[in-house]
């Protein structure tokens, strides 16, 4: 470290600077060189510690102002460094926490008052650093919070120690176990911060608080003394959080662990509580959930970065088009217009156009009703969607999303008509869920302009869009489609052209396993219970009802022809039998379950004896008993083995993309990482052994060459510190 002389005006290092102000005040400005954000890691603490040591020894010092030279105070921990930490021994993880506590406590115990100015955001370790100050002044547009529970861990730089001693145990339980971020007014109301200031006035407001403390107008010493002792525990709040966290604790233990830690820490001194926090963090950070959730965070960041790179060379999109209105088309039009791009929406039927416009209007009205959007802005967005029954104006659009019926001949006809109307270079994107893009583009004169753009329903809520690149799609068309998806606020995932693409192909294997289980006489309600207990938001039967049995029956027929050794069925399926009775799921009031609308207009499922009568006709051996573990194996092995085949065929660029696609599009349980991460968790040798016991069920349980080769060499799919 460069020599620091407090009598000089300034010290500047790699991560922070110190400026001497009038009145004996030193200002510490966090300023990580070469990075847009301030992050907390070992290197920052190594630089901060000797600075604090010099400040401790300075007899002329009267107060310290802590702030940031960047647009945000402190984003929190460096997540890559955190992932590396999770790979260390429990003793090393605990020692890291103690080292952080030593440095931050040195700032908390400076012999002068400390005031922190929070701009932008202070999350996780950022808020923990701010809590070391005696007083906090927060910009009105800033946010604070503890997101660690979402990473499967707990705040490990004193967050569980300082928060209850500052704001009380009720607030601490809510903030630490909930993982939310909070705006300035909410933080002020519960005592996490002491004042809120306009962003332009933040530094001066924080200095004013510091001068009041220096002058003795604020009793900062009494506040510190209070924070060094025990704290009172709100038993009712503990019980409430415990009740919420207990059902999830087996797979996601962080919230319950935090609650139990606060119970144990309440009677302890601050310093004893630090030691316990480090010990518990060391254990919690070694769980599979923590490793999976931290890995997910990093892969999500990497996927976003790759998407921005893949948009390089994109053409400008001044106006978009949608062909095929209805619910899906209306959702695409709405999601485009709400982000500022005008839309031309076409259909051959006025009723469909009305449905699409009503869908967009309903979504905008909902935003207005919740206060997130002003009425005049909503009206302007709706007006930017122009419904039409003809194609004359399509020569003015830059990209068109086709969302018509899932029929190859119909799509080819629609695309041929569009190609004749639009300018060369206009991207023609199909929202097909299962048809190959090369087949759709085959009759066209300009197949290089055709890509897939597979949205998931509901469009406005689902974050992922599969961008399907056929062998003839031009790089410009792909880049433009990626840029369009990014402009809609979506996460684009570029995938290879094949029937079902990535997500639906893997789901197809999962549904094939379900259909086989039902054929073998296993109760679909038991299957749903097993899969929901494992972590899925919906079991397969319930999910199928929501998606529509008629839709999935057609998609599975396409996948069965495309992948006959894996997904073809040589028996009458439950889909076929239920669809034959027009039991399509929620939309018809009956599928596997029966549905009735509650007082709020939401469908509620219930058991239906008629389902069992119909399914009995496709169960040649009648009802059969199968254990929960066997059901889980058959369902999940089918999924992860198909994910492995997709990896072998490079349907997506790598394992990270495969798992990200499944999480973002299907609700794959985050604490299990993804199908390929889960395969690593089981161990590839274990995957091979378990799949061998199911081999009599067909190619669905045949491992691909990649799985076999990695297992033979003792390798993982996700190697440590790689993607």
């Amino acid at each position: 470290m460069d020599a620091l002389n407090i009598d000089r005006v300034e010290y500047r290092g790699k991560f922070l600077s110190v400026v001497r102000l009038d009145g004996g005040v030193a200002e510490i400005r966090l300023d990580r060189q070469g990075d847009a954000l301030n992050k907390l890691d070992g290197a920052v603490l190594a630089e901060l510690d000797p600075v604090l040591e010099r400040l401790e020894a300075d007899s002329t010092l009267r107060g310290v102002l802590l702030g940031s030279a960047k647009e945000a105070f402190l984003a929190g921990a460096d997540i890559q460094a955190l992932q590396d930490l999770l790979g260390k021994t429990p003793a090393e993880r605990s020692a890291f926490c103690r080292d952080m506590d030593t440095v931050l406590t040195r700032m908390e115990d400076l012999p002068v008052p400390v005031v922190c100015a929070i701009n932008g955001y202070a999350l996780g370790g950022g808020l923990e650093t701010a809590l070391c100050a005696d007083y906090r002044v927060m910009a009105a547009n800033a946010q604070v919070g503890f997101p660690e529970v979402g990473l499967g861990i707990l705040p490990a730089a004193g967050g569980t120690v300082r928060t209850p001693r500052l704001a009380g145990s009720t607030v601490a339980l809510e903030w630490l176990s909930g993982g939310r971020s909070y705006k300035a007014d909410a933080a002020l109301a519960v005592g996490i911060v002491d004042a809120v200031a306009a962003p332009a006035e933040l530094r001066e407001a924080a200095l004013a608080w510091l001068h009041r403390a220096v002058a003795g107008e604020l009793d900062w010493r009494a506040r510190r003394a209070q924070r060094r002792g025990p704290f009172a525990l709100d038993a009712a709040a503990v019980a409430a959080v415990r009740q919420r966290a207990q059902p999830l604790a087996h797979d996601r233990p962080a919230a319950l662990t935090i609650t139990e830690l606060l119970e144990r820490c309440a009677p302890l001194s601050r310093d004893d509580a630090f030691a316990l926090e480090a010990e518990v963090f060391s254990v919690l950070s070694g769980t599979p959930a923590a490793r999976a959730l931290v890995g997910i965070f990093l892969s999500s960041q990497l996927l976003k970065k790759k998407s921005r790179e893949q948009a390089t060379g994109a053409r400008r999109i001044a106006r978009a088009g949608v062909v095929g209105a209805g619910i899906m088309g209306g959702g695409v039009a709405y999601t485009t217009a709400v982000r500022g791009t005008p839309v031309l929406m076409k259909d051959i039927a006025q009723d469909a156009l009305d449905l699409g416009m009503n869908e967009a209007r309903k979504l905008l009205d909902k935003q207005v009703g919740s206060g997130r959007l002003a009425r005049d802005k909503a009206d302007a967005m709706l007006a930017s969607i122009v419904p039409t029954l003809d194609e004359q104006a399509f020569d003015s659009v830059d990209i068109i999303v086709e969302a018509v019926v899932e029929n190859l001949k119909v799509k080819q006809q629609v695309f041929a008509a569009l190609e004749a109307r639009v300018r060369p270079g206009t991207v023609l994107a199909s929202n097909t869920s299962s048809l190959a893009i090369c087949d759709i583009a085959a009759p066209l004169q300009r197949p290089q302009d055709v890509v897939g753009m597979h949205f998931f329903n509901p469009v406005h809520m689902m974050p992922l869009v599969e961008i399907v690149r056929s062998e003839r799609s031009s790089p410009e068309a792909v880049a433009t489609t990626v840029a369009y998806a990014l402009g809609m606020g979506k996460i684009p995932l570029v995938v290879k052209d094949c029937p079902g693409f990535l997500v639906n192909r893997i789901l197809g294997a999962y549904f094939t396993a379900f259909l086989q289980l039902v054929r073998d006489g296993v109760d679909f309600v038991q299957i749903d219970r097993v899969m929901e207990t494992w972590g899925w938001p919906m079991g397969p039967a319930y999910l199928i009802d929501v998606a529509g049995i008629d839709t999935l029956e057609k998609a599975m027929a396409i996948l069965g022809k495309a992948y006959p050794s894996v997904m073809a069925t040589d028996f009458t399926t439950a889909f076929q039998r239920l669809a034959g009775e027009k039991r399509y799921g929620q939309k018809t009031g009956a599928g596997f379950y029966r549905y009735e609308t509650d007082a709020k207009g939401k469908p509620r499922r219930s058991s239906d004896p008629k389902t069992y009568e119909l399914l009995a006709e496709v169960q040649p051996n009648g009802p059969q008993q199968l254990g929960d573990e066997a059901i889980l194996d058959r369902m999940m092995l089918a999924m992860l083995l198909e994910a492995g085949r997709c990896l072998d065929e490079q349907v997506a660029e790598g394992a990270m993309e495969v798992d990200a696609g499944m999480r973002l599009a299907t609700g794959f349980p985050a604490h299990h990482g993804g199908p390929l991460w889960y395969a690593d968790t089981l161990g590839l040798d274990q995957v091979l052994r378990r799949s061998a016991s199911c081999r009599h069920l067909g190619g669905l349980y045949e491992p691909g060459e990649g799985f076999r080769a990695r297992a033979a060499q003792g390798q993982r799919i996700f190697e440590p510190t790689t993607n």
Side-chain angles (χ1 to χ4, degrees):
M1 174 181 126
D2 295 339
L4 172 62
N5 184 342
I6 293 301
D7 293 328
R8 290 179 359 203
V9 173
E10 187 176 18
Y11 157 79
R12 191 175 303 279
K14 294 181 179 179
F15 305 102
L16 59 92
S17 62
V18 179
V19 178
R20 174 56 69 98
L21 307 178
D22 293 337
V25 171
E27 180 178 6
I28 301 176
R29 296 177 184 170
L30 302 177
D31 190 9
R32 191 182 188 98
Q33 299 302 300
D35 204 323
L37 298 174
N38 289 320
K39 293 178 283 189
L40 188 64
D41 58 20
V44 175
L45 295 172
E47 185 170 291
L48 177 61
D49 192 38
V51 167
L52 295 173
E53 184 178 9
R54 300 291 183 90
L55 292 174
E56 284 175 340
D58 180 18
S59 60
T60 67
L61 189 66
R62 296 290 176 266
V64 172
L65 177 67
L66 176 64
S68 169
K70 297 188 182 296
E71 294 183 358
F73 174 68
L74 185 54
D78 182 321
I79 305 299
Q80 181 60 63
L82 174 60
Q83 186 182 53
D84 295 341
L85 178 65
L86 299 192
K88 296 184 181 298
T89 67
E92 289 173 321
R93 296 195 295 266
S94 181
F96 176 79
C97 295
R98 292 195 299 271
D99 289 344
M100 284 196 297
D101 290 335
T102 298
V103 177
L104 294 180
T105 301
R106 174 166 253 165
M107 180 161 61
E108 184 176 32
D109 290 347
L110 283 171
V112 296
V114 180
V115 175
C116 180
I118 302 174
N119 64 316
Y121 43 82
L123 302 174
L127 180 54
E128 289 179 288
T129 301
L131 291 180
C132 296
D134 298 297
Y135 302 97
R136 282 151 299 284
V137 182
M138 184 174 174
N141 62 349
Q143 294 189 45
V144 294
F146 294 110
E148 285 87 350
V149 70
L151 297 174
I153 58 175
L154 56 80
T160 67
V161 178
R162 293 187 176 96
T163 308
R165 287 166 173 79
L166 175 70
S169 63
T170 303
V171 171
L173 283 162
E174 176 190 337
W175 280 52
L176 294 164
S177 69
R180 290 179 51 201
S181 60
Y182 296 84
K183 295 182 179 179
D185 54 352
L188 178 64
V190 299
I192 292 291
V193 301
D194 300 280
V196 175
E201 301 168 3
L202 174 64
R203 182 173 178 275
E204 291 307 312
L207 274 172
W209 273 76
L210 182 58
H211 288 310
R212 288 174 60 197
V214 170
E217 297 175 22
L218 301 173
D219 193 351
W220 55 275
R221 291 184 177 85
R223 174 176 277 206
R224 280 195 189 177
Q226 176 187 347
R227 290 163 56 183
R228 290 192 178 110
F231 64 88
L233 193 66
D234 184 338
V238 169
V241 176
R242 183 183 287 277
Q243 184 176 17
R244 292 196 303 270
Q246 186 72 57
L248 306 174
H250 180 268
D251 293 315
R252 302 188 71 156
L256 183 62
T257 300
I258 289 169
T259 305
E260 294 173 343
L261 175 60
L262 290 183
E263 288 183 283
R264 296 171 63 188
C265 281
L268 302 180
S269 69
R270 179 198 67 179
D271 293 346
D272 288 343
F274 283 148
L276 186 56
E277 180 187 71
E279 174 189 322
V280 174
F281 171 83
S282 176
V283 174
L284 187 60
S285 59
T287 61
R291 291 190 174 92
L293 294 168
V294 170
I296 284 172
F297 181 90
L298 286 173
S299 66
S300 298
Q301 297 301 108
L302 181 59
L303 185 60
K304 292 175 183 178
K305 179 181 178 182
K306 282 189 174 182
S307 296
R308 292 191 293 269
E309 293 171 351
Q310 289 166 335
T312 302
R315 304 185 188 103
R316 179 175 176 269
I317 298 173
R319 192 181 193 191
V322 174
V323 175
I327 298 296
M328 181 64 77
V332 174
Y334 160 82
T335 309
T336 303
V338 81
R339 291 290 183 136
T341 301
V343 187
L344 185 66
M345 183 167 65
K346 177 193 176 296
D347 204 287
I348 59 174
Q350 185 63 48
D351 287 350
L353 283 177
D354 293 342
L355 181 62
M357 291 301 295
N358 287 337
E359 176 70 8
R361 183 179 294 107
K362 178 183 69 176
L363 294 171
L364 287 165
D365 287 347
K366 188 175 181 179
Q367 289 222 53
V368 172
S370 66
R372 294 192 298 270
L373 187 65
R375 181 77 264 174
D376 59 337
K377 290 185 177 180
D379 291 342
M381 289 173 183
L382 187 64
S384 72
I385 304 174
V386 179
T388 180
L389 291 169
D390 61 56
E391 301 160 350
Q392 291 185 4
F394 274 113
D395 59 358
S396 67
V397 302
D398 305 292
I399 188 169
I400 298 173
V401 177
E402 165 272 311
V404 303
V405 63
E406 191 77 345
N407 180 285
L408 179 60
K409 289 185 178 179
V410 172
K411 289 184 185 291
Q412 288 175 334
Q413 292 169 358
V414 168
F415 272 70
L418 289 172
E419 185 183 48
R421 175 67 61 182
V422 303
R423 304 185 302 262
T426 298
V427 177
L428 303 178
S430 176
N431 182 47
T432 177
S433 60
S434 56
L435 296 171
I437 300 303
C438 61
D439 291 342
I440 295 173
L444 302 185
Q445 298 298 311
R446 300 192 298 273
Q448 69 271 17
D449 292 337
V450 181
V451 298
M453 195 174 190
H454 179 212
F455 292 89
F456 296 87
N457 200 24
V459 175
H460 68 287
M461 292 181 63
M462 299 299 287
L464 187 78
V465 178
E466 287 181 303
I467 310 300
V468 187
R469 176 182 55 211
S470 79
E471 291 182 355
R472 303 185 69 179
S473 301
S474 71
E476 294 81 9
V478 173
T480 300
T481 310
V482 170
Y484 175 49
L486 288 170
M488 298 172 77
K490 300 299 183 183
I491 301 175
L493 178 64
V494 178
V495 298
K496 181 180 176 181
D497 186 20
C498 62
F501 317 129
L502 178 72
V503 173
N504 281 355
R505 176 174 166 179
I506 296 174
L507 275 180
Y510 181 75
F511 290 143
T512 301
F514 170 76
L515 292 173
Q516 287 186 355
L517 281 166
V518 173
R519 174 207 59 190
D520 293 345
V522 181
D523 184 358
F524 68 88
V525 174
Q526 182 190 6
I527 301 172
D528 273 4
R529 176 182 56 76
V530 169
M531 302 315 296
E532 289 168 7
T533 300
W534 189 74
W536 284 96
M538 297 180 183
Y542 188 21
L543 175 61
I544 289 160
D545 274 358
V546 171
I549 292 174
D550 54 334
T551 301
L552 285 175
E553 182 191 10
K554 294 173 184 176
M556 291 300 294
I558 293 171
L559 292 173
K561 291 180 181 178
Y563 310 106
S565 66
V566 176
M567 298 184 216
T569 51
D570 58 359
F571 55 90
T572 302
T573 70
F575 286 179
Q576 293 166 331
R577 188 65 192 93
L578 295 175
E581 297 291 319
K582 299 190 183 304
R583 294 170 65 99
Y584 299 147
Q586 281 189 354
K587 58 188 172 185
T588 59
F592 284 95
Y593 298 93
R594 178 164 294 281
Y595 297 89
E596 295 179 355
T597 303
D598 65 13
K600 295 183 179 180
K602 294 183 178 181
R604 300 295 183 188
R605 63 172 165 167
S606 60
S607 180
D608 186 355
K610 180 65 175 177
T611 305
Y612 288 96
E613 294 178 17
L614 295 171
L615 294 183
E617 299 175 20
V618 297
Q619 295 173 329
N621 297 318
Q624 302 292 319
Q625 295 295 318
L626 196 63
D628 289 357
E629 289 187 10
I631 291 172
L632 178 62
D633 263 4
R634 284 178 61 168
M635 292 297 296
M636 290 311 303
L637 284 172
M639 173 174 280
L640 64 87
L641 290 172
E642 188 62 29
R645 287 185 281 269
C646 287
L647 182 63
D648 290 348
E649 297 172 26
Q650 296 183 314
V651 176
E653 187 174 329
M656 180 272 289
E657 286 84 356
V658 172
D659 277 6
M662 294 305 294
R663 287 194 311 272
L664 293 168
T666 71
F668 190 99
H671 57 275
H672 291 301
L676 297 177
W677 186 284
Y678 179 56
D680 273 348
T681 301
L682 291 175
L684 298 189
D685 56 342
Q686 184 68 226
V687 170
L688 294 185
R689 282 196 293 270
R690 294 189 186 189
S691 60
S693 67
C694 300
R695 202 70 50 77
H696 64 285
L697 296 166
L700 186 63
Y701 296 99
E702 186 66 39
E705 289 302 317
F707 269 30
R708 292 184 183 280
R710 288 185 178 92
Q713 297 172 23
Q715 294 179 341
R716 295 167 52 87
I717 297 171
F718 288 88
E719 292 299 331
T721 71
T722 70
N723 298 304

